[in-house]
Amino acid sequence: MRRIITRADDYASSRSANAAIARSVDAGFIKNVSIMAPGPFLAEAAQLLAHRKDICFGFHMTLNAEWDNVRWGPVAAKEQVPSLVDRAGYFYQDPILFRDHPPSLQEIIVECEAQLGKLTATGFKISYMDSHMLPERFIPGLQEELDRWIEAKGLINHRDYYNFFPGGVPDGADSFERVLGGLTEDQYFFLSHPALYSEEMVQCGNAQVDGEQLARGRNEEASFLAREDLNEICERWGFRAIRYDEAVPLSGV
């Protein structure tokens, strides 16, 4: 069997995301769940899924809060990480802003320690690490610092597994099968952001992303991932959904 690493992001960021991701996990296709420690619904997220031994949980390092009306800030005391927050005490909305407001690498590691500690204290067994909005693109030296930190923590590094499933989340079984039928490599990475449609999700949005459009798009992802036949479809095309701890690093593919 060829492999698809299936991941759902932004767990704990909203009740809508929590419900959709839990439903996707129950349906069987999603095998990896990335959790936002600063998310306001972390306790609920843990109650829903932390007991699941069949799921690989990840630390979704969060240094940015992109929406206009829904914001979050650091897990560490703000006095410990002053370079990571704006004047209102929240994370900067876009990582590109770090170019004008360079953060301290030491403070980022302090925040990583606090976020990882909060996840484990809530009951999650963390196996891998990835990052929300990839701020390492805009902070010189951060990628190397994170690579060292991830290795020291004994976590799987998400950077070793990015061979994206073409086209993103399909809109139905037929389009899913068409993509599967055209795949030629042994391992792919499938990324999703499912959330149920709700006023909570509509309140998300910013100058680039309309909240209504966002809510409907994430609900469509949730509907697809709730299908209970996705693993069967994968198997027909010689694939199976896997966890990160079952995957092969790209250097070994």
Side-chain angles (χ1 to χ4, degrees):
M1 282 283 183
R2 292 181 288 169
R3 304 169 297 277
I4 305 175
I5 304 164
T6 54
R7 191 177 103 196
D9 277 10
D10 295 355
Y11 195 49
S13 65
S14 67
R15 300 196 72 188
S16 302
N18 284 355
I21 292 172
R23 188 173 70 174
S24 300
V25 164
D26 286 341
F29 183 62
I30 291 296
K31 303 295 186 183
N32 305 274
V33 174
S34 292
I35 315 160
M36 299 178 74
F41 298 100
L42 180 60
E44 178 189 77
Q47 184 177 19
L48 289 170
L49 288 183
H51 63 283
R52 295 287 296 256
K53 305 301 183 185
D54 56 327
I55 298 302
C56 206
F57 292 109
F59 163 33
H60 197 48
M61 181 192 72
T62 303
L63 301 180
N64 298 97
E66 65 266 45
W67 311 125
D68 289 341
N69 299 318
V70 179
R71 306 297 304 279
W72 44 77
V75 171
K78 293 174 184 177
E79 296 77 14
Q80 292 183 287
V81 291
S83 69
L84 302 186
V85 298
D86 61 18
R87 291 181 179 179
Y90 295 113
F91 286 136
Y92 289 101
Q93 283 190 268
D94 195 296
I96 199 171
L97 296 173
F98 286 134
R99 288 178 171 172
D100 296 325
H101 305 276
S104 158
L105 294 182
Q106 182 179 1
E107 290 178 20
I108 291 175
I109 296 303
V110 168
E111 179 62 14
C112 284
E113 292 281 357
Q115 290 189 16
L116 180 60
K118 186 174 183 179
L119 293 180
T120 56
T122 311
F124 288 104
K125 181 181 183 300
I126 301 300
S127 299
Y128 68 92
M129 176 179 171
D130 61 83
S131 63
H132 182 64
M133 301 183 76
L134 302 173
E136 54 269 38
R137 294 173 296 161
F138 303 100
I139 304 173
L142 178 56
Q143 186 62 75
E144 294 77 12
E145 191 71 25
L146 289 176
D147 287 343
R148 288 190 290 269
W149 188 82
I150 291 169
E151 184 177 7
K153 294 296 180 182
L155 301 176
I156 296 169
N157 192 329
H158 69 120
R159 290 214 301 149
D160 296 333
Y161 302 90
Y162 283 117
N163 181 27
F164 277 96
F165 188 87
V169 179
D171 58 8
D174 290 344
S175 58
F176 187 40
E177 294 215 45
R178 282 196 296 273
V179 174
L180 289 171
L183 299 181
T184 59
E185 298 181 41
D186 287 337
Q187 183 172 284
Y188 292 87
F189 169 68
F190 181 103
L191 179 63
S192 66
H193 296 81
L196 301 184
Y197 180 87
S198 66
E199 182 59 31
E200 176 188 41
M201 291 307 301
V202 173
Q203 286 302 309
C204 296
N206 54 36
Q208 288 74 43
V209 181
D210 176 73
E212 178 71 24
Q213 184 178 1
L214 173 82
R216 293 191 181 280
R218 295 199 173 188
N219 187 69
E220 290 174 3
E221 292 192 23
S223 296
F224 175 78
L225 295 172
R227 294 181 62 110
E228 296 184 350
D229 60 349
L230 297 181
N231 285 330
E232 178 183 343
I233 293 172
C234 283
E235 290 174 6
R236 286 207 299 267
W237 291 95
F239 283 94
R240 67 183 180 96
I242 63 167
R243 299 156 44 119
Y244 271 108
D245 55 13
E246 300 173 294
V248 178
L250 289 182
S251 59
V253 172

